[in-house]
Each structure stands twice: as C-alpha cells, then as structure tokens.
Amino acid sequence: MVRYLNPGGHDLAETENLDGYGISLIVVIVLYSIFFYAACIFLWLQRNNPAIRMRKIPLALLSILVLHVYLVIIFVLYPLNGTFPCGLEFWVMSIYLPIGIGLFQAQNQQLLIVSREQNLLKGIDELYRPLYPNHGGGLGGPEYWIWRLKLWWRSVNTQNKYEGLVFVGMVVQFVVSLVIYSISRQFHDYGIVSHHTSPGMCRKGWEWAPSIVWQFLWNFFFGPYLLWKIKPIHDIYHWRLQTWLSVLAGLLGTPLWLAAVYTDSFASVNKYWAPPMWFMPGLMMMELVTLIFPIMQVFKHNKAARETQDILADFDAKKLHSEEPSTTGSLATRSTGSKRGKMFSMESLDECLTTCCDGLQVYASCMELNGENIIFLTRVLGFERKWDMDFPKIRDRSRARMGMFRAALSIYVTLVHSDTASYPINIESPIYATLESIFGAATKLVASRRNSESPLTPISSVTPWDEPQQEPLIESPMLESPGGTYPMRNMSSTPPARRSIDNDSREHIIPLDDDPQDSLAGFQIPAEFGEHVFDAAFKSIKYMVWSETWQRYMNWRRSSVTVV
C-alpha cells in the first residue's frame, strides 16, 4: 500500500518520492497542463479576433509558455527528490523564471502604452510611423551595426522599445548565470569560489539569489508602479484587474523563498513544500489571468456577434411582413428574451458621427482602446463631404483629383497601413489589399524617412555618433504639398499641442502648385481611385462599431445617467 506521505519527505535522497502526495502533484500538473496547452492553442487560433488583437497574443503566450516550464519543474521537485540534478535546477530557475517574468512584464506594459497612445489619438489624428529604408549590404563593421541599432530604435514604437530593453535584460541574465555556474564549485569540481557540497547544500548558496532578481523587481517595484500608473484606466477587457491579480498573487513568493532557503525555521515545511513551490501561486495566477480573460472576451465577442446577426435576421423578417417598418431608436426586440434583445439603430450612430462624436471618441479611446475606428469613420465622412462640396468647384480636374488623393492618402497612411499607422484599423484582407494597390506606391514616397542612408554608402550624412536631422513638425519637404503643408505628422517628431478632431477634415484639402520638391510630383494616380475608395473599409468598420462599441457606449450612457 502506498503511503500518502513519505516520512523523509523532500530530503534530496537518491530515491523518488512516489507516495500519495507525490503522485497527486504529478496528476495535478498533468491535468493542469492539458488545460493550459488547450487554452494556448485556442488563443493562438483566435489571435486575430478583434476583441483580443491589441493584447499581442504571441508575446503573451510566449511569456506563459516559458513560465510553465519552470512551473512543471516545481511540481515534480518533490516526486523526483534528489534524482533531479542540482545544476539542471539552477539553469531552469536562472533562465526560465526571470525570462518568463520579463516577457510577462513586457506584455502587461502593453495596457499602459496602449492607453497612453489612445489618449494621444483623441487629440491628434494624423500621427504616422515613418518607413525606414534598408540600405547597405554585407555584414559591415561596428559602425554599421551601431547605425542599424539606432535606426531600429527610431523606427519602432514604445512597446517594441520596451521589449528591446527586456531582451537586453535577458542577455544580461544569461551571461550572469553562465559566469556564476562556471566559477562556482557548488555545481562541479572545478571553479574558483565556494565548495563542492551535498545536493541539499548545493541549493542554498549565494549563487541562487540572482535568479530571483526579476521576480523581486516585478512584484515589489515594476508591478506596483504599473498598478499605480494604470489606476485611472477603466477598460472593458479587465486588463487592469488581470494586472492587479498577477502582481498581488506573487508578492509573497520571493520573501518566503528566501526564508525557506536561507533559514532553518522552514526545515519542517521544506520536507513537503520545496522552497521553489512558494512561487507556484504567483506563476499559476499569471498563467490563468493571461488565458482566462482573453478567452472570456473572445466568447463574449462571438456571442454578441451571433446575437446581432439573429436580431438583424428577425428585423429583416419583420420588415418584409410589415408595410410600415419602425424607424424608432431601437432596432429590434427578440422574442427569446436575450440580454441583447434591444439594439440602438444604425441611424443613431450616423447622427452621432455627422454631428458631434466627442463622447463616443473618448469612450472608444479610454475604455475600449479602439479609438482609431471612430477617427477613421469621421475622417472618411469628411473626405466624402469635401469631395461633394469642393471637387466640383475646381476647374482643373487633375489638380483637384491630386488634392483629393492627398487627403485620402493621409487617411490611409495614418489609419490603415500596417507599417505606418500607429493603430491600424482591423479590416478584411481583400479590402486591405485593394487599398494597398491604390495607395501603396504613394505611401512609400510620402512616408519614407529622409537621411536614412547606411553608413556604408558614401553619400551618408548619418553617423553612429550624430543624430540624423529630425524633420520639423509640419514643414518637412517629405510631407509638404505644393502650395501648402501636407497634413501628416511624423511620430518621430515632437507631437504638437492637442486639438479637437475636425470632422470636416479641412486640413486635408490643400491648394496645389507645381513644386519639384514635392514627393508626389509627377505621381500617376491609379485609375481605381475615386470618391468611393474607402466605401468597403468604411462599411466594415462602421458595422463593427455599430454592433459592438456603439451598443456598449449607449448602454454605458444610460447606466451612467441612471446612477446619477
């Protein structure tokens, strides 16, 4: 008969602890891992779902997959007992734990970064990321690689820079671990410090302390600081709650691990609860919140989409059998009694977009973190309105057509193009491909960064020690139009003072003169370009806004009024 507890416990003897407790730990981690990997696969398949696209699912999954390796090791420490090599445990704890924590930290920073940039979108709707050319060939020397590093740093957004710093930290962590492992006799017979000891004492040296630095910094410095910074954020995705839970669950891990390893008062506890197991609550919470909240959001989004389709089908059926279809503010009421049985009409959204949508813009940017959708809709409406009002008044049709093309290109570069838009709208691939065929060539001309030649080329004015000349905020030849200033602002420049969003998009319609310095001078406008160039994208985004953001916004307004 198998005992539930081995009297010796985790005594690091050369025998396994396959008692009832050890078997239970193995069963628990196997069942949990099945759920974990199934959830990871589901999220990976749903990574392009609009409800979770902004979460950077690949980075989130990578962080918890790395952490899960260490979590599995924690669960099997007791069953394996002393048969698990001390050196292998050192490498797992020194690499997987800090790297997983670092990746998780970078992923959670996304909420703060997205919130800040969405807040910026509320006031400035013309930011874009410049396209940096890839000049030069061959491996080059140190000067070339320093230039490449600086070029990368200027071309990426805040989140990518943060991830770059985390990567540097990973490299430092690996180098430090390698040095410690190489010079310490704790893990082998050679070295210059410490002494070769028993398996039990091997796990108690100073060599283990650097492995928990990132865990300590995350739970006691970076995590609380992030919680303080995101305190005003009230997103609908429970992203803030997710961060709170992950930080709070891991607070006691580092202090209890230190006490268990470096004090004798935990000796009786260590027999059945190995010191690394104190990290278990925090690690499991990190994994669960990273998986459960996005999965809940996906199911919620899909359910809402199905209910919307059902409501529209019911509405169409009633409309066919009714001589006077209703035109009131609510669209339809389902007989099934669904929570979403009543929806606000598309006409109410149209009225908001064409009159004053400041409230909707603030809600979308601050709570749903998708304010780019509202900006796109208002700017396309302004573009179409200007086409109807101003285009017929200009006698020179070619000049008028170029002016409208510039206005449309501004919308495409700042809100649609995946490489230049800070937050590109989420449209179907065929629609994006059509727009790319119309605006792609012009985007490369307008958004390409000046003064980005490789130091390997003789005409370069950029060196690793000198910052390239930064474009002025507005008056840049790359962004100028003949007779006026091209209305897009480079994100690498200092942002201007905020202004309210102009639904009429007046700044996008500009006078035209011949100017050889213009980046679009002599550009042949594709024949497919016309007044309705954005119709398909507009229809797609408008439906998404109406079926999701608009319904939640109106219900939120009603609940706010009720509370007041």
Side-chain angles (χ1 to χ4, degrees):
M1 181 177 180
V2 178
R3 294 181 178 179
Y4 186 73
L5 285 177
N6 183 355
H10 188 243
D11 55 3
L12 298 174
E14 295 295 328
T15 56
E16 295 86 356
N17 277 328
L18 296 180
D19 53 10
Y21 176 53
I23 295 175
S24 299
L25 289 174
I26 295 175
V27 171
V28 169
I29 191 58
V30 168
L31 294 177
Y32 176 75
S33 296
I34 293 174
F35 160 78
F36 173 82
Y37 288 115
C40 288
I41 293 173
F42 176 82
L43 276 186
W44 177 257
L45 296 176
Q46 296 289 329
R47 63 188 181 277
N48 293 322
N49 190 296
I52 60 174
R53 188 168 63 106
M54 72 181 70
R55 285 180 176 265
K56 301 196 74 169
I57 293 301
L59 177 61
L61 292 181
L62 178 61
S63 67
I64 59 176
L65 284 170
V66 173
L67 289 175
H68 192 71
V69 174
Y70 184 64
L71 184 64
V72 171
I73 298 300
I74 289 176
F75 268 91
V76 300
L77 279 179
Y78 178 85
L80 293 180
N81 204 12
T83 61
F84 193 82
C86 178
L88 179 58
E89 183 178 345
F90 170 82
W91 276 111
V92 171
M93 186 169 179
S94 298
I95 298 300
Y96 285 93
L97 178 61
I99 288 181
I101 295 291
L103 293 172
F104 183 82
Q105 178 181 337
Q107 186 266 335
N108 269 271
Q109 194 76 12
Q110 180 78 354
L111 171 60
L112 179 61
I113 294 172
V114 170
S115 176
R116 284 177 173 175
E117 294 184 353
Q118 285 285 330
N119 193 50
L120 183 63
L121 281 177
K122 290 188 300 179
I124 304 172
D125 57 357
E126 300 163 355
L127 291 177
Y128 79 98
R129 296 201 301 261
L131 296 175
Y132 288 81
N134 186 18
H135 292 299
L139 295 178
E143 182 178 300
Y144 170 76
W145 286 105
I146 294 175
W147 170 83
R148 291 293 301 171
L149 178 61
K150 292 181 66 176
L151 187 63
W152 174 83
W153 185 263
R154 293 195 302 268
S155 64
V156 299
N157 56 26
T158 305
Q159 176 66 18
N160 295 134
K161 291 178 180 178
Y162 195 87
E163 294 167 3
L165 294 176
V166 170
F167 176 76
V168 172
M170 294 178 186
V171 174
V172 172
Q173 177 70 32
F174 176 79
V175 172
V176 171
S177 301
L178 181 61
V179 171
I180 292 176
Y181 184 82
S182 300
I183 66 174
S184 176
R185 297 189 185 95
Q186 288 265 39
F187 312 106
H188 36 66
D189 296 331
Y190 58 89
I192 59 176
V193 296
S194 300
H195 301 282
H196 192 63
T197 59
S198 63
M201 295 303 297
C202 171
R203 292 167 167 84
K204 291 187 176 182
W206 61 269
E207 293 87 349
W208 296 80
S211 63
I212 64 165
V213 169
W214 277 31
Q215 167 79 7
F216 175 77
L217 292 177
W218 163 249
N219 285 116
F220 290 93
F221 290 96
F222 297 127
Y225 175 76
L226 180 61
L227 294 180
W228 177 67
K229 296 296 290 185
I230 66 176
K231 183 175 63 173
I233 302 175
H234 300 280
D235 64 291
I236 66 171
Y237 308 107
H238 309 295
W239 212 342
R240 186 180 66 161
L241 175 61
Q242 167 185 330
T243 307
W244 271 95
L245 292 175
S246 61
V247 172
L248 294 178
L251 278 176
L252 297 179
T254 300
L256 291 175
W257 180 85
L258 290 172
V261 171
Y262 297 107
T263 66
D264 296 331
S265 58
F266 274 70
S268 59
V269 178
N270 292 344
K271 289 178 61 177
Y272 301 104
W273 192 265
M277 296 179 77
W278 292 111
F279 295 124
M280 188 188 302
L283 296 179
M284 293 188 70
M285 182 61 70
M286 290 179 183
E287 294 181 357
L288 290 174
V289 297
T290 303
L291 293 172
I292 291 177
F293 283 114
I295 289 176
M296 290 174 54
Q297 203 64 36
V298 169
F299 280 114
K300 185 177 180 180
H301 170 80
N302 293 341
K303 180 182 178 182
R306 288 193 301 269
E307 291 183 350
T308 300
Q309 293 294 335
D310 293 342
I311 291 174
L312 290 175
D314 292 346
F315 178 74
D316 291 338
K318 292 178 181 179
K319 189 174 181 180
L320 290 175
H321 296 85
S322 175
E323 295 181 357
E324 297 181 359
S326 173
T327 59
T328 59
S330 61
L331 180 63
T333 303
R334 295 186 61 189
S335 58
T336 58
S338 168
K339 291 182 179 180
R340 204 173 186 185
K342 191 172 184 179
M343 297 185 67
F344 298 93
S345 66
M346 185 76 77
E347 289 77 9
S348 61
L349 173 61
D350 290 335
E351 182 179 359
C352 176
L353 292 174
T354 54
T355 54
C356 180
C357 63
D358 290 345
L360 176 61
Q361 178 67 65
V362 171
Y363 172 84
S365 297
C366 296
M367 299 186 69
E368 298 211 358
L369 307 178
N370 58 5
E372 67 276 2
N373 292 332
I374 311 302
I375 296 175
F376 175 77
L377 294 178
T378 55
R379 290 186 62 183
V380 170
L381 287 174
F383 167 79
E384 293 178 348
R385 187 158 48 247
K386 279 297 180 181
W387 187 292
D388 294 336
M389 294 174 57
D390 294 352
F391 188 80
K393 300 178 182 179
I394 303 178
R395 295 181 179 180
D396 190 339
R397 291 299 179 183
S398 62
R399 295 176 65 246
R401 184 173 171 81
M402 175 57 76
M404 297 308 302
F405 182 78
R406 292 176 185 275
L409 180 61
S410 174
I411 297 174
Y412 177 79
V413 170
T414 57
L415 292 169
V416 181
H417 195 268
S418 58
D419 293 331
T420 59
S422 55
Y423 285 95
I425 58 174
N426 186 26
I427 54 178
E428 295 83 348
S429 297
I431 299 177
Y432 181 86
T434 301
L435 293 176
E436 174 67 15
S437 66
I438 297 174
F439 297 107
T443 299
K444 293 179 180 179
L445 293 175
V446 171
S448 295
R449 178 65 179 259
R450 292 181 304 153
N451 298 330
S452 296
E453 290 82 3
S454 165
L456 297 181
T457 60
I459 60 173
S460 173
S461 62
V462 180
T463 67
W465 305 278
D466 298 325
E467 286 290 341
Q469 181 181 359
Q470 193 176 52
E471 295 93 331
L473 178 59
I474 298 179
E475 298 180 354
S476 168
M478 182 59 62
L479 304 181
E480 285 181 358
S481 65
T485 302
Y486 196 74
M488 293 185 294
R489 296 184 176 90
N490 193 317
M491 287 185 70
S492 63
S493 303
T494 305
R498 293 184 182 177
R499 56 170 177 77
S500 61
I501 297 174
D502 184 0
N503 289 353
D504 292 336
S505 299
R506 295 186 181 90
E507 68 275 19
H508 303 295
I509 308 302
I510 45 184
L512 302 175
D513 297 316
D514 294 330
D515 185 353
Q517 299 297 324
D518 177 27
S519 57
L520 292 180
F523 181 79
Q524 296 296 323
I525 300 176
E528 297 82 2
F529 173 73
E531 177 184 2
H532 304 289
V533 65
F534 290 115
D535 279 5
F538 183 87
K539 182 179 179 181
S540 175
I541 296 299
K542 182 181 176 183
Y543 178 81
M544 182 170 61
V545 169
W546 168 74
S547 62
E548 300 176 22
T549 304
W550 180 245
Q551 307 303 322
R552 289 191 289 261
Y553 169 66
M554 293 300 290
N555 289 324
W556 174 76
R557 284 187 58 186
R558 284 190 168 186
S559 62
S560 300
V561 172
T562 303
V563 171
V564 174

